[in-house]
Amino acid sequence: MSIVRRKSEVPVESRVMFGGRGEVEAHKILVGADEMYGKGRLFNHVVLKPGCSLGWHVHQGDGETYYFLKGHGEYSDNGSLIPVGPGDMTFVDSGEGHSVENTGDEDLEFIALILYK
């Protein structure tokens, strides 16, 4: 399989996630299980506008990595609040929870990858 997907062709979904504030803008880098060879369920470029958040949620059977590209936020790692910014990486394992909030005055952008355990 070979894929070239232009920016204008990338599916974008905007919605409130896990009871967070405002909408999460998810640019889908890979779409569907086939593009991830069944190893994961999400590979997105996520954008949170100032004041927006992706609400608290717990992972079961998978783990999620965030790699922060731009902006500043506050990441909740099982309830411990940690400031995050460009170049930072976070990981939450199956059975653990997390959330993230944009606490800055510019967009908070990160790559999100969910792989099955």
Side-chain angles (χ1 to χ4, degrees), residues 1-12 27-36 43-44:
M1 168 177 19
S2 179
I3 301 170
V4 174
R5 189 173 287 131
R6 301 290 180 197
K7 183 177 181 175
S8 63
E9 301 168 331
V10 172
V12 180
H27 302 253
K28 297 174 183 275
I29 297 170
L30 293 178
V31 181
D34 289 347
E35 289 187 14
M36 295 192 71
F43 185 34
N44 289 345

Side-chain angles (χ1 to χ4, degrees), residues 13-72:
E13 179 180 296
S14 294
R15 64 183 172 102
V16 174
M17 293 187 70
F18 305 108
R21 284 190 308 277
E23 291 190 341
V24 174
E25 187 178 297
H27 302 253
K28 297 174 183 275
I29 297 170
L30 293 178
V31 181
D34 289 347
E35 289 187 14
M36 295 192 71
Y37 296 113
K39 307 291 185 199
R41 65 179 177 88
L42 183 140
F43 185 34
N44 289 345
H45 175 188
V46 178
V47 179
L48 291 176
K49 300 291 184 193
C52 292
S53 64
L54 193 157
W56 175 263
H57 59 286
V58 175
H59 285 262
Q60 295 297 332
D62 58 34
E64 185 168 26
T65 301
Y66 293 161
Y67 180 76
F68 293 89
L69 303 169
K70 177 183 172 190
H72 291 88

